[in-house]
Amino acid sequence: MADKILRGALIGCGFFAQNHLHAWRDLEGVEIVALCDADAERLDLSGKAFGISHLYSDAATMLAYERLDFVDIATTVNSHRVLVEMAAQAGVGVICQKPFAASLAEAHAMAACCARAGVPLMVHENFRWQTPILALRSALEERVIGQAFWGRVSFRSAYDVYSGQPYLATDERFIIQDLGIHILDIARCLFGDVAQLSATTRRVNPKIAGEDVATILSTHRNGITSVVDCSYATQLAQDPFPQTLVEIDGAEGTLRLLPGYRLQIHNQSGTTTIDCQPPLLPWAEYPWHNIQGSVFNIQQHWVECLRQGHEPATSGRDNLQTLALVEAAYQSASRQQATIAIAP
Ligand code: NAD
Ligand code: 89V
């Protein structure tokens, strides 16, 4: 794998897959040689837009005919298990969009199937690859605020996500499973794995099926306390979508990721503000450019991992811990905010 051009195929040519395809096209040393979608119109549109002529309506046929190093699964959650296991059995590496699985038990089975087949598996959990989150991670690693003891990771907006992703309005589980999963993953990546949590949820928008507000209080294994709060019912004077805002208190100072991608560092040396504006890739558009940049970053990471035989940061194994938090948050919310222990 060291030098050759990696051959990938993308399954699911919908709303978000367009970002994957743009990023793959920009990356060196990798080519998407085939596309698959059950919807003929979407398949055809993506094939034309990205100049890919090997088009399939079904993944089994594609895996039988194409010589691939990996598949990139960008379908919605209910199809993930079949597709992940099919790819593993065909002996090709797997990238799978979040949420990896509809339940933790299913996720364990899928990760085990890839491990048995000896194929690398990465969950496309891109939020921790956003430019401002990478800057926060560096600041923590450099210990500019000493030992962190408390954090808040917050995503509050009233942006209309339903028009781009209509299933979000009808799914029984909404904000924790779709968005909270990203914010919990950021909390894990900043503060480490979680020992226990409790959560509340509510639905403010009467036109949707699931919850659109969630607040999750966690104790991390290293003793850090964090609050993850998400809302799609918060009408602000300036909607920050899709920015994640972060507050971290440390023994020697504070970090604040503020609206406008500004990272404020306050410590004994004074107060400085760093501009963490993500790059605007040629195909990106406001306000999505931060997420689009993170798609490029995670896919670049996959290429590096595949070439060097390293486990991706958001491997299937790693993502089981994030999914455990999602399940625990729903469990806690359904049991009057009971504290739920997370298995190591
Ligand atoms: P979508 O419905 O727009 O697209 C999914 C596509 O997959 C459709 O075109 C559908 O025909 C196709 N498909 C479904 N099952 C298939 C199968 N078995 N074989 C072939 N094609 C199949 O969905 P979307 O909004 O693009 O979301 C896709 C996934 O991406 C979801 O899991 C969502 O949570 C995730 N997502 C992630 C981010 C992020 O920042 N990481 C952002 C948006 C969406
Ligand atoms: O990740 C997602 O599926 C998206 C968004 C980034 C908007 O939350 O719903």
Side-chain angles (χ1 to χ4, degrees):
M1 296 255 180
D3 294 326
K4 71 167 200 158
I5 302 280
L6 299 172
R7 296 169 61 83
L10 179 118
I11 307 176
C13 302
F15 169 74
F16 202 70
Q18 305 310 307
N19 298 314
H20 294 216
L21 286 168
H22 276 292
W24 289 128
R25 187 157 69 179
D26 282 3
L27 280 162
E28 305 261 326
V30 60
E31 189 184 354
I32 296 301
V33 297
L35 297 177
C36 171
D37 198 302
D39 179 319
E41 196 182 335
R42 286 183 153 192
L43 181 64
D44 187 53
L45 278 174
S46 293
K48 287 201 171 94
F50 292 91
I52 300 166
S53 58
H54 291 208
L55 305 179
Y56 297 86
S57 61
D58 122 86
T61 309
M62 182 176 77
L63 285 162
Y65 278 89
E66 296 291 335
R67 189 169 47 79
L68 300 171
D69 295 306
F70 71 94
V71 292
D72 180 11
I73 300 169
T75 61
T76 45
V77 67
N78 289 336
S79 52
H80 287 177
R81 182 169 188 177
V82 169
L83 294 170
V84 166
E85 295 188 350
M86 198 189 283
Q89 277 146 20
V92 303
V94 182
I95 305 174
C96 182
Q97 254 299 344
K98 48 61 64 177
F100 180 47
S103 74
L104 191 55
E106 203 171 78
H108 273 282
M110 291 155 70
C113 175
C114 290
R116 271 195 310 277
V119 300
L121 166 64
M122 179 177 86
V123 178
H124 198 292
E125 178 43 79
N126 50 321
F127 269 43
R128 62 163 85 175
W129 287 97
Q130 293 174 1
T131 306
I133 304 302
L134 294 173
L136 266 178
R137 283 165 66 182
S138 300
L140 283 175
E141 274 158 29
E142 289 160 19
R143 295 184 72 83
V144 296
I145 60 163
Q147 177 58 52
F149 62 86
W150 181 90
R152 176 181 176 206
V153 192
S154 176
F155 189 110
R156 311 192 77 76
S157 170
Y159 187 85
D160 171 23
V161 277
Y162 313 107
S163 54
Q165 297 168 262
Y167 53 90
L168 297 179
T170 52
D171 284 355
E172 206 178 301
R173 287 181 166 188
F174 169 36
I175 203 164
I176 299 176
Q177 173 161 289
D178 178 69
L179 174 80
I181 197 168
H182 291 304
I183 310 306
L184 287 164
D185 191 70
I186 291 176
R188 271 191 65 227
C189 143
L190 295 175
F191 310 131
D193 279 334
V194 170
Q196 60 178 49
L197 65 70
S198 62
T200 62
T201 57
R202 65 180 293 166
R203 179 173 61 227
V204 175
N205 180 346
K207 296 190 187 133
I208 64 168
E211 82 291 352
D212 52 4
V213 178
T215 308
I216 302 160
L217 175 66
S218 301
T219 306
H220 294 255
R221 294 202 184 281
N222 52 16
I224 296 177
T225 300
S226 79
V227 179
V228 161
D229 60 288
C230 307
S231 167
Y232 271 127
T234 299
Q235 299 175 32
L236 293 158
Q238 287 183 322
D239 196 309
F241 180 89
Q243 296 177 60
T244 302
L245 306 181
V246 182
E247 300 170 36
I248 306 176
D249 294 1
E252 294 160 29
T254 51
L255 295 169
R256 295 290 183 267
L257 184 54
L258 303 167
Y261 300 107
R262 290 171 301 125
L263 173 57
Q264 185 190 75
I265 303 172
H266 175 76
N267 58 20
Q268 280 179 338
S269 310
T271 308
T272 49
T273 304
I274 300 170
D275 181 6
C276 294
Q277 187 70 233
L280 182 64
L281 297 170
W283 46 271
E285 57 191 350
Y286 292 112
W288 287 86
H289 67 300
N290 182 32
I291 290 180
Q292 289 164 321
S294 71
V295 168
F296 179 89
N297 291 345
I298 194 173
Q299 292 181 191
Q300 183 173 50
H301 174 65
W302 169 256
V303 171
E304 287 163 6
C305 288
L306 220 51
R307 286 201 185 289
Q308 291 159 17
H310 292 164
E311 180 174 329
T314 57
S315 63
R317 196 166 66 95
D318 175 86
N319 195 254
L320 293 173
Q321 279 295 318
T322 296
L323 273 177
L325 305 187
V326 169
E327 290 244 324
Y330 280 115
Q331 210 184 334
S332 172
S334 72
R335 289 172 43 198
Q336 288 78 45
Q337 218 177 322
T339 298
I340 310 293
I342 310 296

